[in-house]
Amino acid sequence: MQVPGKLKNYSEEPVTTLEMVAAEAGVSPSTVSRFLNGTAKVSEIKRRAIEVAIKKLSFVSNPIASGLAGGKSHSIGIITQVFGSPYYGQAMVGIEEILIAANYAPLFVSSHWREDFELGCINFLEGRRVDGIIILSACLPDEVLLERSIRTPMVVTSRMLSSERLHSFNFDNYTGAKMATEHLIGLGHTRIAFLKGISSHHDAIERFKGYRAALKAHNLPFDPKLCVQGQFMETGGEAATLKLLDSGSRFTAIFASNDQMAYGAALALYNRGLRVPDDISLVGFDDLLNSSFMIPPLTTVRHSIREIGKIAAVTMLKLIAGETHASDNPAPELVIRKSTRSCPI
Amino acid sequence: MQVPGKLKNYSEEPVTTLEMVAAEAGVSPSTVSRFLNGTAKVSEIKRRAIEVAIKKLSFVSNPIASGLAGGKSHSIGIITQVFGSPYYGQAMVGIEEILIAANYAPLFVSSHWREDFELGCINFLEGRRVDGIIILSACLPDEVLLERSIRTPMVVTSRMLSSERLHSFNFDNYTGAKMATEHLIGLGHTRIAFLKGISSHHDAIERFKGYRAALKAHNLPFDPKLCVQGQFMETGGEAATLKLLDSGSRFTAIFASNDQMAYGAALALYNRGLRVPDDISLVGFDDLLNSSFMIPPLTTVRHSIREIGKIAAVTMLKLIAGETHASDNPAPELVIRKSTRSCPI
DNA sequence: TTGAAAGCGTTACCAG
DNA sequence: CTGGTAACGCTTTCAA
């Protein structure tokens, strides 16, 4: 196969253009375009001819060209915190599902919980002329988000701000955490340790509030020594638990404010010869895919992060379309498995 | 803020174009373009002027437009099997890292281990005019891959085919599996169950071969009843282990050919009151992030899937650049943790 | 080395 | 409803 120098694509096969379809169908390019986008009514006759031509030439519209001409790329950027994450990974599944179905290309990038990276991601995506940006658990301050959304519409999770060009929503972290804590209280636990998430994180703050509210509602004292920072990561949860154990404080249960920290806690407990749930009850938050395979299976709060992803994508599509229907936040649900039992003492 | 009808972008702020930069710098657009792409030498004087103009106007080249004009999108598509996966997720991390640094946009899509979806993904990406496609553990038959790569260059993992337009590579599954099995044999185990992965999967086949080779090398009999299908998933591993347990076959160790199945096996064992490693030793494959947090921490074969992702991306970039340097396959390594011990009987 | 001009494949505006 | 004609912002001959 010889490759003529002129060809941009390696393959010889000429790419069918809209113009060729128009010629084949005996109409103008404008009409084909209108038919493709439903921009205006096209007579039955021509519509037929166009359809036939498209099929015959197996034409596929070039999004690059239409992006240039139409001023939009039909792609939307998604800023996630980490790619490997079991948490954000699920959100991505939901987002992809919706976007692909709507024929939008998802542009996933990650910002590693760093404000500067997040800004870099926004710049990268804007450079790519995405039609909108979805940010999962944004780090950037509200003002920056609001300001940037003027250029490119945004959907942000784990926040509660909103404007003409920025929608945000969240599930109820507070209630979820309260439910988890109350489950433990209901089992007779009174000294419940709490593993905190990233302190600047909206979700982390709400979960902490829910924990304290449950304590208060049941007239249980709040002991700051029982609350340790775990950074929402497995290693953090492990270190926090070790710290707790070494502090000498008494407790019969641990509420890790996300499942990943619960995994770490379980390992720390295991390494110290403590059994879950016999010695210590353990509750997580998120219900990651792995949690039902933890040993013992983890009691946790489910809120379908995948659903969150779908809602975010749908909201983005609506925002682009100019609709402003606010979306409902999914409700959290307690999933009781084997990591909790009645207080042994 | 009033929005004039003409504006494509919501924001008022005019987007700087290459033409404006040219005007500002007092040179022609062609020169600016050449400077930007290094297509031709530009005199020191003009180069300076252009740099200043770019800075002043904070110009960012429009990839959509250059894509149209240049015939390439500066984006590359990545087909992964599942988004939420702890395995492919790591590969994505590696790919993103390389691509973003090279200023290429990664277009991640997932095909759920289905040939038809994989074909759909390729079509979607081709429609987007990506400059190349990376497929992680492709499902499609070799011929199809080879044929499609004529249009768009490809890098495929878990395969061993190659052509002018298609590079593929893999780590050594066979050796990794052999190492894992021999570790068990070294501990005195003679009846080692094997959890098989997706049977059509190249990696799965190689791992199975490695297992059998180790057995043979140590004069141990191969018992087909000890080999059960687990589909590379947690649930599959659980079901397979249950089946094994119910079959009445005797075994003192399980080699799950990926970590996810090992998680399922651990759960099945736990639910049947069997302890790891006291009653049954367990070995996995992949060394997922979670494996060091499994209880007990899982002995497994590490091969850095993230590294695989980086290699795939680098290879793709080279392929596009016209270079043909084949990349090295990373070597597998046995990570011994707490899920294995000497044979109790 | 540089500029002018002709696209790249669509969409959008404007008459008809 | 439809066709013609400009863009869209950049790259790439082709001359100079």
Side-chain angles (χ1 to χ4, degrees), chain B residues 11 16 22 61 81 85 87 93 98 104 129 133-134 188 190 200 206 209 214 224 234 239 270 276 309 314 323 340:
Chain B
S11 71
T16 316
S61 172
Q81 298 305 321
S85 157
Y87 183 82
V93 173
I98 300 295
Y104 268 79
R129 306 297 194 270
I133 296 178
I134 295 176
T190 54
S200 61
E206 287 298 303
K209 278 190 194 156
E234 290 87 347
Y270 170 81
V276 174
V314 169
E323 302 172 41
T340 45

Side-chain angles (χ1 to χ4, degrees), chain B residues 149-166:
Chain B
S149 71
I150 293 176
R151 254 198 192 297
T152 314
M154 288 183 179
V155 168
V156 180
T157 71
S158 302
R159 286 292 169 93
M160 276 324 208
L161 55 169
S162 102
S163 76
E164 187 63 20
R165 305 272 290 169
L166 172 343

Side-chain angles (χ1 to χ4, degrees), chain A residues 280-293:
Chain A
I280 303 280
S281 282
L282 181 62
V283 178
F285 199 118
D286 287 341
D287 193 24
L288 300 183
L289 257 24
N290 252 314
S291 298
S292 52
F293 286 95

